[in-house]
Amino acid sequence: GQQLNQSPQSMFIQEGEDVSMNCTSSSIFNTWLWYKQDPGEGPVLLIALYKAGELTSNGRLTAQFGTTRKDSFLNISASIPSDVGIYFCAGQLGGGSNYKLTFGKGTLLTVNP
Amino acid sequence: SAVISQKPSRDICQRGTSLTIQCQVDSQVTMMFWYRQQPGQSLTLIATANQGSEATYESGFVIDKFPISRPNLTFSTLTVSNMSPEDSSIYLCSAGQGKTYEQYFGPGTRLTVT
């Protein structure tokens, strides 16, 4: 089956720094999604990407759908303490009835104030 | 986006018993899904809950162990049957909505089996 490689596994940064994380796949996806999960909560959708090459922003977050359809990137600018959490990428093939998500293993972000 | 609630939020159960988890969405949705998240791990899809028909299970998950109901477009249940300690996990439901059915998640049910 499809597998997503998400890196880095964890990051420790200082408040105010920028953060980058990425996801690569062995096969193509038609939609890429980025989620954030806080302790004791369900994942919250941050950004959805629908087209190869697409660059989308949500406040301090920017995500890109790779041109090969096999990768995606998430950048967080000027990090703040509330950015702490686990970030997951997810890929979706779509079409027909194939709307299930395949998740990466997550990136644990720690922000030191 | 859809607002999703789950009951119970957590439970401690004895080995051999069963627990039914409820998932309620605040609007009608086409797709509903159930995931398992083991401590410190990513999310693994258990099944797609189909309205009016049997759920579609992923490899490694079977209906006898995880029976699912979806009586309408806003509600679904997942039962974890004949539980063992290995079933201790977070169980999450999600609803697919929007342009390509991007999924929104409930808060999860934290299950501990002793």
Side-chain angles (χ1 to χ4, degrees):
Chain A
Q2 294 167 318
Q3 295 186 354
L4 292 186
N5 297 310
Q6 187 172 347
S7 63
Q9 201 170 7
S10 62
M11 302 183 75
F12 299 85
I13 62 170
Q14 294 296 123
E15 182 176 359
E17 290 183 349
D18 296 344
V19 172
S20 289
M21 58 192 80
N22 70 80
C23 239
T24 59
S25 170
S26 57
S27 53
I28 67 168
F29 287 106
N30 292 313
T31 301
W32 282 94
L33 305 166
W34 285 92
Y35 289 87
K36 177 176 184 259
Q37 187 175 28
D38 292 330
E41 303 290 333
V44 173
L45 181 62
L46 300 174
I47 292 180
L49 301 158
Y50 304 110
K51 289 197 314 188
E54 180 181 356
L55 186 71
T56 298
S57 293
N58 178 7
R60 293 178 296 106
L61 277 62
T62 302
Q64 184 160 25
F65 192 142
T67 54
T68 65
R69 296 190 171 187
K70 293 183 179 182
D71 56 4
S72 180
F73 305 85
L74 176 70
N75 297 314
I76 305 172
S77 62
S79 59
I80 59 178
S82 62
D83 289 334
V84 166
I86 303 175
Y87 292 79
F88 290 101
C89 63
Q92 183 189 63
L93 263 180
S97 59
N98 199 357
Y99 291 101
K100 60 185 180 182
L101 297 180
T102 300
F103 279 83
K105 293 188 185 300
T107 295
L108 173 62
L109 178 62
T110 303
V111 180
N112 295 318
Chain B
S1 64
V3 177
I4 302 165
S5 58
Q6 287 185 232
K7 287 183 189 178
S9 60
R10 60 178 66 241
D11 209 339
I12 301 173
C13 301
Q14 290 200 334
R15 180 196 300 260
T17 63
S18 297
L19 175 71
T20 296
I21 303 168
Q22 298 179 4
C23 178
Q24 179 74 53
V25 188
D26 69 340
S27 58
Q28 292 186 343
V29 291
T30 305
M31 304 271 182
M32 292 184 76
F33 303 86
W34 287 96
Y35 290 82
R36 183 172 71 185
Q37 186 178 28
Q38 295 179 311
Q41 301 296 314
S42 186
L43 287 79
T44 301
L45 181 65
I46 297 171
T48 302
N50 301 309
Q51 195 263 329
S53 63
E54 200 169 274
T56 304
Y57 289 85
E58 297 299 303
S59 175
F61 298 97
V62 295
I63 187 171
D64 290 346
K65 176 67 176 177
F66 298 102
I68 288 170
S69 79
R70 186 162 176 210
N72 56 51
L73 292 176
T74 64
F75 185 79
S76 178
T77 67
L78 168 75
T79 299
V80 186
S81 303
N82 188 24
M83 288 184 284
S84 66
E86 291 70 36
D87 295 321
S88 297
S89 193
I90 301 170
Y91 292 86
L92 295 142
C93 77
S94 72
Q97 211 180 29
K99 188 171 175 177
T100 58
Y101 303 109
E102 61 261 15
Q103 291 176 33
Y104 299 90
F105 283 82
T109 295
R110 280 138 195 85
L111 171 63
T112 302
V113 184
T114 60

